[in-house]
Amino acid sequence: MNGLRQIWIVSALNFRSLRSRLWQSLVIVAGMACVIGVLLSMLSMTVGLHQAYLNTGDPRAIFVISAGAQWETQGSIARDKARIIMNMPGVAKAADGSPIAEPGLEVGVPTLARNGARAWIILRGFGSKGGMLRPEFHLVQGRMFRPGSHELIVGIHAKERFRDVAVGDKLLLPDGAWPIVGVYATGDLRDGELFGDTETVMLSIRHKTYNSVMLRLASPDGFAAFARQLKTNPALNVDVMTMHDWNVKRSADFDRFMRIIVYGVGLLLATGALFGCFNTMYSAIAARKSEIATLRALGYGGLAVAVSVILEAGALSVAGASLGAAYAWSRYDGVIDGFGGDIFKMTVSPAMIGMALLWAVAVALLGGIVPAIRAARRPVVEALRAT
């Protein structure tokens, strides 16, 4: 008898008998649903924040920061050095001939989260070239702050995360309460921050140096030469990179740490699901010993029996994984979340769901292979006698 036909018939009999083994089968389905649901739920935060970092800022922008700084708040660029950087040859010019560049400032401001917990919101300096360097920036409510004034604008997602940051509210800074006069959107991590006039904010927090400098080059091909100018200037001592490379750098450690935790927890849960699959398939074979013995006596090969056992384990695992993935997708995909001062959208992508289904198939193979081999190798005479 054709091998594929044997596998088809034996597998069909397996699935037809699932109703009589419903509760045992649900052990695999429920276990895998929990594993994949937890795995994707945890990954949705890690992947969402990583993507938010990579999608933040204009990819054409160049980022300059103190040598060795891992975070923007660690940077310290004096005013005279910032002027040298912004007026370097190769920097793009605006219509009035001024460089499309501005010094950067980032500071954490204490506030309250929506749930009443203490939190920090990022306040970022925004100068006269801010709109040119951030073409994605646009106001969605209220008005722009006036240069030189004690006024702020807030990102559209910050309102969902923090208290008292709507238009008309006031944020307390060292020199008094600053009113919020507008709401902006950028479509990236900046949507969870505040913008204020750079120089005025520096005076308020008594900060004497900038954290960074952001600029745009006249030609993208000029990056290597521009970076060489800055790196070889002993008076500057800075690192130069594209905005994309800076975002990759600052997200790398967090991304690596979180993935180790996520996959570590997922591995522990998967191990439990694997033993559940192992025990369930052994029980299924014991419950079907008469049927398997009869099939073997009728000429069905051990390979057909073994493959049918693995297919059953795989189908139940994939069914559970699909339920877990559906839960994670419906519950977390696109939901606004925060980590530290960053606010972002959690993500459950098709690629993540595909990975989860492959994970389920791997667990099914590992959990079903030993019971399948035992069922295939059991002598027909012994099996018939056991019936």
Side-chain angles (χ1 to χ4, degrees):
M1 188 180 293
N2 183 276
L4 290 178
R5 178 178 170 80
Q6 286 191 9
I7 292 172
W8 171 261
I9 293 174
V10 177
S11 299
L13 291 172
N14 272 16
F15 289 113
R16 190 175 299 172
S17 66
L18 280 178
R19 185 177 300 178
S20 62
R21 299 180 281 111
L22 179 62
W23 293 110
Q24 291 177 336
S25 302
L26 285 178
V27 170
I28 298 178
V29 175
M32 194 53 61
C34 291
V35 171
I36 298 305
V38 171
L39 178 65
L40 290 181
S41 299
M42 295 176 68
L43 271 178
S44 65
M45 177 181 174
T46 305
V47 174
L49 182 55
H50 181 68
Q51 290 182 351
Y53 270 119
L54 298 187
N55 295 331
T56 292
D58 185 350
R60 299 171 297 174
I62 304 302
F63 191 80
V64 183
I65 194 167
S66 305
Q70 296 296 314
W71 299 95
E72 190 168 354
T73 51
Q74 296 174 345
S76 179
I77 299 179
R79 291 176 180 273
D80 58 336
K81 294 182 180 180
R83 282 192 294 270
I84 293 173
I85 294 169
M86 292 189 291
N87 288 285
M88 278 280 187
V91 178
K93 304 294 184 181
D96 61 0
S98 60
I100 302 179
E102 70 173 23
L105 178 70
E106 179 184 325
V107 61
V109 179
T111 186
L112 293 176
R114 280 288 178 183
N115 60 8
R118 293 182 179 180
W120 290 86
I121 185 170
I122 294 174
L123 171 57
R124 190 174 299 278
F126 192 98
S128 60
K129 297 299 190 297
M132 295 183 185
L133 291 168
R134 302 177 181 87
E136 68 281 0
F137 169 87
H138 62 281
L139 286 174
V140 296
Q141 183 184 347
R143 62 174 176 83
M144 189 65 178
F145 61 80
R146 293 170 296 186
S149 66
H150 288 196
E151 295 177 341
L152 302 171
I153 56 175
V154 63
I156 191 168
H157 290 326
K159 298 193 305 176
E160 304 171 25
R161 184 75 175 175
F162 303 108
R163 289 184 178 181
D164 305 323
V165 290
V167 173
D169 292 333
K170 295 183 178 181
L171 191 72
L172 188 63
L173 292 181
D175 61 349
W178 289 39
I180 295 173
V181 298
V183 179
Y184 69 85
T186 60
D188 55 32
L189 280 176
R190 302 289 175 260
D191 284 344
E193 301 176 351
L194 292 160
F195 285 166
D197 180 67
T198 304
E199 298 300 331
T200 311
V201 172
M202 285 185 70
L203 288 173
S204 173
I205 64 173
R206 299 174 178 85
H207 213 288
K208 295 182 179 180
T209 60
Y210 303 112
N211 294 129
S212 62
V213 173
M214 186 164 63
L215 55 91
R216 184 179 299 162
L217 296 179
S219 170
D221 297 332
F223 173 76
F226 179 79
R228 189 162 49 250
Q229 289 183 77
L230 297 187
K231 295 288 287 183
T232 56
N233 188 329
L236 295 179
N237 190 30
V238 294
D239 287 333
V240 189
M241 62 202 83
T242 64
M243 182 59 69
H244 177 269
D245 289 343
W246 167 249
N247 288 333
V248 169
K249 177 181 177 180
R250 67 180 183 147
S251 66
D253 290 341
F254 169 82
D255 186 63
R256 188 181 306 110
F257 174 73
M258 287 302 297
R259 286 181 185 272
I260 290 174
I261 291 178
V262 169
Y263 287 117
V265 172
L267 183 61
L268 290 176
L269 293 175
T271 301
L274 187 150
F275 282 109
C277 178
F278 184 85
N279 291 331
T280 299
M281 297 318 299
Y282 258 121
S283 298
I285 292 170
R288 296 177 56 240
K289 59 186 179 182
S290 299
E291 178 185 315
I292 292 174
T294 302
L295 289 171
R296 294 297 307 281
L298 291 174
Y300 285 82
L303 178 63
V305 173
V307 172
S308 71
V309 171
I310 293 175
L311 287 177
E312 179 182 333
L316 293 175
S317 293
V318 169
S322 299
L323 290 175
Y327 169 78
W329 178 82
S330 63
R331 177 67 178 81
Y332 295 104
D333 188 54
V335 173
I336 302 298
D337 196 10
F339 184 85
D342 295 321
I343 300 176
F344 55 93
K345 287 185 178 180
M346 302 173 77
T347 300
V348 180
S349 66
M352 292 167 62
I353 294 175
M355 177 274 297
L357 295 179
L358 289 176
W359 188 295
V361 170
V363 170
L365 287 174
L366 293 173
I369 189 70
V370 175
I373 292 174
R374 182 180 179 185
R377 287 184 173 179
R378 191 176 189 186
V380 176
V381 174
E382 179 186 332
L384 288 171
R385 189 181 299 118
T387 62

